[in-house]
Amino acid sequence: MPTEPTIYTIVPGYNVETYLDSLAQSLSNQTYSGNKVVIFIDDGSEDKTLKKMNELSIEGFSKHVVSNSHEGVSAARNTGLDWIKQNYSTDGVVLFLDADDMFTNEAFELIAQQFMNNNLDILAFGSQPLYESEQLKKEKPAYLSFYKRKGSYPAVMSGQEYLHAVLPNGDFRPNVCHQAFSLSFLKSAQLRFCNGIIHEDNLFSFEALLHASKVKFIANEIYIRRVRPNSIMTKTASTANLDGYFKCALKALDYLYKSTVVVRRIDDCASVIDMWLSSASDYYSALDASEISELLALYAPEEQILFYELVEQRARYTRNRESELQAARNAAYHDAENVTKAKFESSISFKIGRAITAIPRALLRR
């Protein structure tokens, strides 16, 4: 029987002291009997997050805490990956857990079983939302079904085959917290998170799937995703969103150009990049011109040109197309209204009505 894998859990956190007790409890509740390691990365918190991380007691786990300067979640996750590689020679499974989220009690056991049975590079799994309030559930109902897949993907397949299977159903879910990765796979593929952006999961997952030989999805909703105010999920549109999706597209194009990985379906890659550019275009349309100008001022000249060609032009085309469609709808409505009016005016009821009101109308014109 295969050996139970060590499960390494990387937890980055910035000003999250409020949520760490719940996270620690969800880890202590794991039914998995194999070796478990958790690495907390404090991302330069200004509250008592670091103190809390050091004080936490998590049953059944080897716990380690690393303190970073405030560089963002990508840098924190990279720090966690580097720490594992430097301090553990044992292969295993890597999980990414956001500090305000949790796992269900049986999560690690299910994940380990899939890796032992199938020798996977990547396991994707389901997630369930946890709303902090009923008001937030009313305001953000989309998350009730956001992480559910429309299709079923029971087979073990390559990463590129998996991408080809999920894209037509809109089932590409790139959040790394809803995936488990073989440590040896991450080392061989030399995968890193792109520093300085949000939506970094998109790029990481895309690159991982290009390399992976064995990928599987299970529908079990074993990750608990907290929906709370002022998170990336619930904040209003900002230039960080626009920048994140645009940079994902640029980095992916550069990766495809430089990487030695054999891409078997370039149209799937194009579809993913197009989704990111479409999202960037949507954020462009939602932001003020002054905000966009401030962002562009940070870009190199070649990035500004690509931004104009790939994002701004798309946003303008979409806006013009919507105007044309609205004009067409208005014209169609006007034509239909005229036809209806003409039919009514030629009807018996209209003529009788005109006769009945003839005297009052005549009096009103005096």
Side-chain angles (χ1 to χ4, degrees):
M1 182 168 175
T3 305
E4 290 183 319
T6 298
I7 296 184
Y8 304 96
T9 305
I10 296 173
V11 184
Y14 175 71
N15 291 350
V16 288
E17 61 172 309
T18 305
Y19 305 102
L20 289 175
D21 283 329
S22 297
L23 177 146
Q25 189 60 55
S26 86
L27 294 180
S28 293
N29 289 343
Q30 291 304 310
T31 59
Y32 180 57
S33 59
N35 190 31
K36 301 181 289 292
V37 179
V38 60
I39 304 97
F40 287 98
I41 314 295
D42 175 56
D43 187 34
S45 297
E46 298 170 342
D47 63 357
K48 296 179 181 178
T49 291
L50 179 59
K51 182 174 183 292
K52 188 76 173 178
M53 286 176 173
N54 281 310
E55 291 174 350
L56 285 174
S57 176
I58 305 178
E59 187 177 340
F61 279 74
S62 297
K63 187 191 78 171
H64 308 277
V65 180
V66 181
S67 181
N68 261 10
S69 57
H70 185 42
E71 299 178 64
V73 67
S74 290
R77 286 174 177 162
N78 286 335
T79 296
L81 285 173
D82 290 341
W83 195 94
I84 293 171
K85 293 170 186 176
Q86 292 165 9
N87 291 276
Y88 282 87
S89 58
T90 307
D91 193 17
V93 177
V94 175
L95 301 177
F96 297 98
L97 172 60
D98 284 347
D100 52 352
D101 294 340
M102 292 167 283
F103 278 107
T104 59
N105 295 353
E106 75 284 2
F108 283 29
E109 191 171 349
L110 284 171
I111 290 167
Q113 197 64 49
Q114 288 294 331
F115 274 85
M116 286 190 290
N117 291 346
N118 299 293
N119 192 28
L120 299 174
D121 293 325
I122 303 172
L123 174 71
F125 41 80
S127 177
Q128 55 184 286
L130 173 64
Y131 285 87
E132 282 206 335
S133 68
E134 287 299 316
Q135 181 60 34
L136 198 56
K137 184 184 288 189
K138 292 177 182 177
E139 294 173 358
K140 305 287 182 181
Y143 289 110
L144 288 168
S145 58
F146 183 78
Y147 298 111
K148 296 183 184 298
R149 270 70 162 185
K150 298 184 183 73
S152 176
Y153 316 99
V156 176
M157 58 188 93
S158 73
Q160 294 188 39
E161 289 170 340
Y162 177 77
L163 188 63
H164 184 66
V166 299
L167 281 174
N169 297 322
D171 283 347
F172 177 49
R173 297 289 184 273
N175 191 306
V176 295
C177 293
H178 307 160
Q179 301 173 72
F181 301 86
S182 159
L183 177 58
S184 59
F185 165 70
L186 292 178
K187 288 178 178 178
S188 65
Q190 299 181 345
L191 294 172
R192 308 280 292 173
F193 289 92
C194 178
N195 285 342
I197 65 169
I198 63 173
H199 307 305
E200 71 291 334
D201 294 30
N202 287 267
L203 183 61
F204 187 93
S205 295
F206 173 69
E207 292 177 357
L209 288 176
L210 292 182
H211 285 273
S213 298
K214 289 188 174 183
V215 177
K216 189 178 180 183
F217 169 73
I218 57 173
N220 306 65
E221 296 179 344
I222 57 178
Y223 191 87
I224 302 173
R225 184 77 162 159
R226 190 186 297 271
V227 183
R228 63 181 177 88
N230 298 317
S231 69
I232 290 175
M233 296 164 60
T234 57
K235 282 182 179 178
T236 55
S238 72
T239 53
N241 300 106
L242 169 56
D243 177 65
Y245 280 118
F246 175 59
K247 290 289 179 61
C248 279
L250 291 194
K251 298 289 185 182
L253 288 168
D254 187 58
Y255 190 81
L256 289 167
Y257 177 72
K258 294 178 178 178
S259 177
T260 57
V261 67
V262 177
V263 178
R264 305 194 181 282
R265 295 194 63 94
I266 198 67
D267 53 330
D268 290 336
C269 297
S271 294
V272 173
I273 293 170
D274 185 71
M275 282 193 298
W276 297 338
L277 291 173
S278 181
S279 295
S281 173
D282 290 342
Y283 279 109
Y284 176 95
S285 298
L287 296 169
D288 293 335
S290 59
E291 295 177 290
I292 295 169
S293 295
E294 289 178 8
L295 175 63
L296 285 174
L298 303 174
Y299 286 172
E302 62 272 19
E303 289 177 322
Q304 293 180 14
I305 293 170
L306 288 170
F307 183 90
Y308 175 78
E309 292 291 335
L310 300 175
V311 178
E312 188 173 344
Q313 289 285 70
R314 180 188 294 244
R316 287 181 178 179
Y317 172 80
T318 302
R319 194 180 304 129
N320 292 339
R321 182 62 178 152
E322 287 176 352
S323 297
E324 290 172 3
L325 289 173
Q326 187 59 50
R329 284 193 290 266
N330 291 341
Y333 177 80
H334 183 68
D335 291 344
E337 190 178 46
N338 286 339
V339 170
T340 303
K341 183 179 179 184
K343 286 181 179 178
F344 175 67
E345 290 178 350
S346 64
S347 68
I348 296 296
S349 59
F350 178 74
K351 290 174 181 176
I352 293 172
R354 291 289 291 176
I356 292 171
T357 60
I359 295 173
R361 282 188 284 109
L363 291 172
L364 287 171
R365 283 198 294 270
R366 288 183 178 177

